Structures are given as structure tokens and as C-alpha cells.
Amino acid sequence: MRKPIIVGNWKMNKTIAEATAFIKEVDPVCHDGATYGVGTSFLALQDAIKNAKNLIIAAENCHFEDSGAFTGEVSVPMLEEIGVKYCIIGHSERRQMFGDSDETVNKKAKRLIKAGITPILCIGETEAQYDAKETESVIRSQLSGSLADLCPECVKGIVIAYEPIWAIGTGKSATKEDAQKCCHIVRDQIEKMYGKEAADAVRIQYGGSVKPENIVEYMACEDIDGALIGGASLKADSFKEIIEKTK
């Protein structure tokens, strides 16, 4: 039985003080029905980890090298030192704005796994690709590159976040039928690459304008094991409602 995982991705939002206040308000209402967490800015990570008893705290990115001339980057050993256990990689904004590719995402995944940090690996198609009916080929291609040369046991522990780019921050949402279909493609591709046992174990999130009003219908889908949530995770009341609805 796969335990659901619901994580808020704050992106470039919330100061350290704002993050701490949010965690102190939301952390006590978490329950064992799912794994709940938030991805904070690098600056807020250490304080967030100190204040979280129930929420997992995720980094929003990392570099695959341990050190070097990479101005502005944060390495996996730096995340390890402060107790980070989850890290979001390959988010569409990182791919589109900052040059992340399947190759670099793969390197990040390997380095995180080596450190015992769980990657939350994001994939998803653009609106143009969706309109051209290329969704399935994009999903399979991104997974093939991003998960290349891993061991089946490693893949079991990864979280995959399927996020159609056209549904991120736009107010548009995939129907539950489309979300389920795409998450099933994710699981099928993992089975093709690493076998049924790995495919059955990996947790798959849907992301894209997920909010209290639609979380239940997504979570009812067979191949959706959680959500990566943007805007609705920024307000404590909204996130608490999502936690309550997913008991």
C-alpha cells in the first residue's frame, strides 16, 4: 500500500519568519493518513526543519556537484548537513527558466539518492505539446532521461510529480480522468524501465492548480498517490483544509 504524499511547493515565496509561522500553525494538524510537507526557499530550510515535527521539509532544487565554481548553487552535502530529507528536482520552471534538462535532473537524482535524500522528480508537457497530442511521448521521454541508469530499489523510493505545465499557476486543471491517465502512463513507463515491483512501489503525485475543492477527486484515482501543490499551499487555512480532506 503506497502512503499518499502531499507537498506544497512555495517557489520564491515566504520569508524565514513567514515560513516559521506557517509551519507552527499547520504542523499540529497533520495526521498519519498521508505524508505532508512543504518545499521552502534555501534560506528558510534550516528554521523550517527545526520547527517541523510532522511536516517534511523539502528543498526546491540542488546541484549535482558537491562543490566548485557554481555561483549561487546549493550542493547536496549542504542540504544533508541541515537535515533535508526530500528535494524537488526538474520542476518545469527550473527546466524552462534555468536550463535544467533530463540529463542534469538525472545527475541530481543520482546524487540525492546517494545521500539518502528522496527526490521529488517533476515532469510534464507544455500547452503546445498537449495541443499536439504529444503528452504521452513527452512523459515517457522525460522519464527515460531523468531516471536513466538507476537501480530498481532506488526507483522504488522516488516520488514522481506529473505536472502539466499548462495547468501550473493558470487556474486550469486537468480533469481527474486525464490526470489518472497520465499518472498511469508514468507508472507504465517505470514498469518498462525497472519492472513491476518498482512501478507498484513508486509514489506519483499530480500537480497543477490543485486546491481544497478538487484534491479529493484526484486522490481517488488509482495511480495518483498525492499532489504537488503551488498556490493553495501558501495559505495556512487552505493547506489545513487539504490536510483535513485527505484523512
Side-chain angles (χ1 to χ4, degrees):
M1 182 71 177
R2 298 183 297 269
K3 186 173 184 177
I5 179 166
I6 296 172
V7 177
N9 178 21
W10 286 351
K11 309 186 181 186
M12 197 179 71
N13 291 292
K14 294 197 183 295
T15 63
I16 296 170
E18 289 168 341
T20 299
F22 178 101
I23 287 162
K24 287 181 175 179
E25 182 175 349
V26 172
D27 195 80
V29 306
C30 293
H31 52 78
D32 290 335
T35 300
Y36 297 96
V38 290
T40 80
S41 72
F42 287 128
L43 283 174
L45 280 172
Q46 196 161 7
D47 283 83
I49 289 167
K50 288 178 180 176
N51 284 283
K53 303 293 187 292
N54 302 303
L55 288 163
I56 62 164
I57 305 299
E60 294 182 9
N61 188 37
C62 67
H63 199 280
F64 49 80
E65 295 287 357
D66 286 357
S67 61
F70 305 106
T71 301
E73 292 292 327
V74 172
S75 71
V76 172
M78 293 173 186
L79 299 180
E80 277 187 283
E81 187 176 40
I82 61 171
V84 171
K85 298 298 182 186
Y86 286 78
C87 183
I88 299 167
I89 55 174
H91 191 279
S92 61
E93 291 157 4
R94 298 299 313 178
R95 292 177 186 262
Q96 291 185 307
M97 298 178 193
F98 302 103
D100 271 8
S101 63
D102 293 337
E103 181 182 3
T104 58
V105 171
N106 180 245
K107 290 179 179 179
K108 293 177 184 185
K110 289 174 178 174
R111 186 62 188 89
L112 288 167
I113 290 167
K114 182 180 177 182
I117 299 174
T118 300
I120 300 175
L121 195 158
C122 303
I123 59 166
E125 80 281 16
T126 64
E127 186 168 16
Q129 289 167 332
Y130 175 78
D131 290 341
K133 302 189 184 307
E134 296 172 352
T135 295
E136 181 170 351
S137 63
V138 170
I139 289 173
R140 293 190 186 277
S141 175
Q142 287 184 338
L143 286 172
S144 293
S146 299
L147 294 177
D149 303 317
L150 296 174
C151 68
E153 281 300 313
C154 294
V155 173
K156 286 181 185 180
I158 291 175
V159 177
I160 306 293
Y162 165 67
E163 293 193 300
I165 296 170
W166 49 269
I168 299 174
T170 63
K172 299 177 182 178
S173 303
T175 65
K176 63 180 182 180
E177 291 81 11
D178 281 346
Q180 161 57 26
K181 178 182 177 181
C182 290
C183 289
H184 179 74
I185 292 169
V186 171
R187 204 173 299 283
D188 181 69
Q189 181 62 27
I190 292 172
E191 182 173 350
K192 289 180 185 299
M193 294 175 70
Y194 292 109
K196 190 173 189 308
E197 191 174 335
D200 286 344
V202 72
R203 291 186 289 179
I204 302 170
Q205 297 175 314
Y206 168 72
S209 299
V210 178
K211 48 200 171 189
E213 293 77 15
N214 59 22
I215 184 70
V216 173
E217 66 180 37
Y218 287 129
M219 294 295 293
C221 296
E222 181 180 357
D223 288 300
I224 297 178
D225 306 309
L228 189 61
I229 302 171
S233 72
L234 292 173
K235 294 181 179 179
D237 286 346
S238 175
F239 202 63
K240 286 195 291 185
E241 188 176 351
I242 286 170
I243 292 170
E244 175 63 28
K245 287 189 171 183
T246 50
K247 277 187 176 178

